[in-house]
C-alpha cells in the first residue's frame, strides 16, 4: 500500500483552478519534495491531502484512507507543520507538546515519554521549560516539527518548513528532517520553492506550476536533463 495516492485531484476557487487534475503516488518511507514558485498550488494540494480543504474533483488516499470518506482516519495518521507559525507563545515547549498529545488522546505516561523523545530528537531538551516566546525562529520551527510527530504519525506534511530562516538554521532543520525520516521511518511530503532544499533532502521531486505537476523524477535525473 502506498502512503499517498491521488487521481485527478482538483481544487477550484471562484473559477480559478489552484490544483489541476494532479496524479501522484508516494511510497511508504519516502521523502518526497514538491517544488514550485509561490502560488503554484503546493499549499492547496497539501490542504486537500490533510482534509482541510475538500477537493472540487478527483480522489486522494492518505495512509490508505479516502480523504473525503474517512477524514478522521486520515487526520489520526498524519502530522503537519504549517507554513505559518502555530505554536502558543504563552506556553512552554513542553506544554505545547503536552497539549498536542492530549488532543490525540495519548495517556499521561505516553505523553511524558514521547515529549522527552521528540525534544531530544530536535535538540531542544534544554529548553523544554522555557516559554516559546523566548525561542528563536529556528527553535520554534524545530518545536513545530517535534510536535507534528508527537503522536507517531505515519505521514508528515511539511509546508515550506525553512521559509524565512537563515542559511545555518535551514541546514540544521534539513538535518532534523533527514534524521526523522530515517529513525522514525515516517513518509514525508515537503513543499518548498528552494531548489537546493529539494535537491539536498528529497529522493524524488515533483515540480508544480499553475496547479499541475510539470515533471517528476529524482533530483539527479532532473539536473542531468538540463
Amino acid at each position: 500500500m502506498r502512503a499517498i495516492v491521488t487521481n485527478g485531484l482538483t481544487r477550484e476557487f471562484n473559477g480559478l483552478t489552484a490544483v489541476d487534475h494532479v496524479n501522484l503516488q508516494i511510497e511508504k518511507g519516502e521523502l518526497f519534495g514538491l517544488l514550485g514558485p509561490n502560488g503554484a498550488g503546493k499549499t492547496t494540494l497539501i490542504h486537500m491531502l490533510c482534509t482541510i480543504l475538500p477537493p472540487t474533483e478527483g480522489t486522494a488516499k492518505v495512509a490508505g484512507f479516502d480523504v473525503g470518506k474517512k477524514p478522521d482516519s486520515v487526520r489520526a495518521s498524519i502530522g503537519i507543520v504549517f507554513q505559518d507559525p502555530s505554536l502558543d507563545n504563552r506556553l512552554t515547549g513542553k506544554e505545547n507538546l503536552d497539549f498536542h498529545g492530549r488532543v490525540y488522546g495519548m495517556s499521561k505516561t505516553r505523553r511524558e515519554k514521547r515529549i522527552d523523545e521528540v525534544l531530544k530528537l530536535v535538540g531542544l531538551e534544554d529548553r523544554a521549560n522555557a516559554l516559546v516566546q523566548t525561542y528563536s525562529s529556528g527553535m520554534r520551527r524545530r518545536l513545530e516539527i517535534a510536535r507534528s510527530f508527537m503522536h507517531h504519525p505515519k505521514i508528515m506534511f511539511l509546508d515550506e518548513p525553512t521559509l524565512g530562516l537563515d542559511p545555518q538554521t535551514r541546514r540544521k532543520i534539513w538535518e532534523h528532517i533527514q534524521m526523522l525520516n530515517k529513525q522514525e521511518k515516517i513518509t514525508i511530503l515537503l513543499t518548498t520553492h528552494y531548489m537546493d532544499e529539494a535537491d539536498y533532502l528529497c529522493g524524488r521531486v515533483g515540480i508544480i506550476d499553475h496547479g499541475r505537476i510539470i515533471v517528476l523524477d529524482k533530483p539527479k535525473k532532473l539536473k542531468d536533463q538540463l
Side-chain angles (χ1 to χ4, degrees):
M1 184 180 70
R2 291 185 169 94
I4 298 171
V5 178
T6 74
N7 290 293
L9 196 64
T10 302
R11 176 69 195 197
E12 295 180 354
F13 295 97
N14 299 320
L16 173 68
T17 303
V19 174
D20 192 358
H21 295 87
V22 167
N23 298 313
L24 190 60
Q25 295 183 349
I26 299 175
E27 304 295 330
K28 278 186 176 181
E30 188 172 4
L31 206 170
F32 183 89
L34 199 60
L35 178 66
N38 291 333
K42 302 186 300 295
T43 297
T44 301
L45 177 57
I46 277 194
H47 282 183
M48 285 191 287
L49 295 176
C50 295
T51 75
I52 296 170
L53 283 174
T56 305
E57 187 181 333
T59 61
K61 285 190 175 181
V62 175
F65 302 108
D66 188 292
V67 297
K69 297 176 181 177
K70 294 192 174 181
D72 289 343
S73 297
V74 171
R75 292 171 195 147
S77 304
I78 65 172
I80 181 168
V81 174
F82 295 98
Q83 190 177 131
D84 297 319
S86 59
L87 296 168
D88 191 327
N89 291 331
R90 296 164 296 179
L91 300 178
T92 65
K94 189 173 183 178
E95 287 168 344
N96 269 277
L97 296 175
D98 184 71
F99 179 77
H100 185 83
R102 290 170 185 262
V103 170
Y104 277 87
M106 299 174 70
S107 67
K108 183 179 179 180
T109 302
R110 281 186 64 211
R111 290 198 310 273
E112 290 177 348
K113 182 175 184 292
R114 188 60 172 164
I115 286 169
D116 289 341
E117 290 174 352
V118 298
L119 285 173
K120 187 174 181 179
L121 278 171
V122 298
L124 287 175
E125 59 267 44
D126 60 332
R127 300 284 292 174
N129 295 309
L131 292 175
V132 169
Q133 64 189 16
T134 68
Y135 283 25
S136 67
S137 56
M139 290 168 62
R140 293 183 192 201
R141 213 53 172 159
R142 281 151 58 195
L143 183 63
E144 286 182 311
I145 291 171
R147 183 184 61 180
S148 72
F149 62 92
M150 174 79 183
H151 56 287
H152 295 282
K154 297 176 183 177
I155 301 167
M156 273 179 63
F157 294 92
L158 305 179
D159 193 7
E160 304 207 28
T162 65
L163 185 66
L165 300 179
D166 63 84
Q168 184 178 7
T169 304
R170 285 179 66 213
R171 183 55 70 102
K172 285 184 179 180
I173 297 292
W174 291 356
E175 292 171 357
H176 288 304
I177 291 170
Q178 283 185 323
M179 181 176 60
L180 292 172
N181 177 241
K182 292 175 182 176
Q183 290 190 11
E184 297 277 320
K185 303 188 186 306
I186 296 176
T187 305
I188 296 177
L189 172 55
L190 173 147
T191 75
T192 182
H193 61 255
Y194 298 127
M195 288 185 285
D196 59 334
E197 184 162 275
D199 184 26
Y200 184 88
L201 286 173
C202 304
R204 286 193 307 151
V205 173
I207 298 177
I208 187 171
D209 197 17
H210 294 95
R212 292 190 174 187
I213 302 287
I214 306 301
V215 65
L216 193 158
D217 214 327
K218 294 181 179 180
K220 184 179 185 305
K221 289 187 177 181
L222 290 176
K223 289 187 289 184
D224 289 345
Q225 290 174 19
L226 294 176

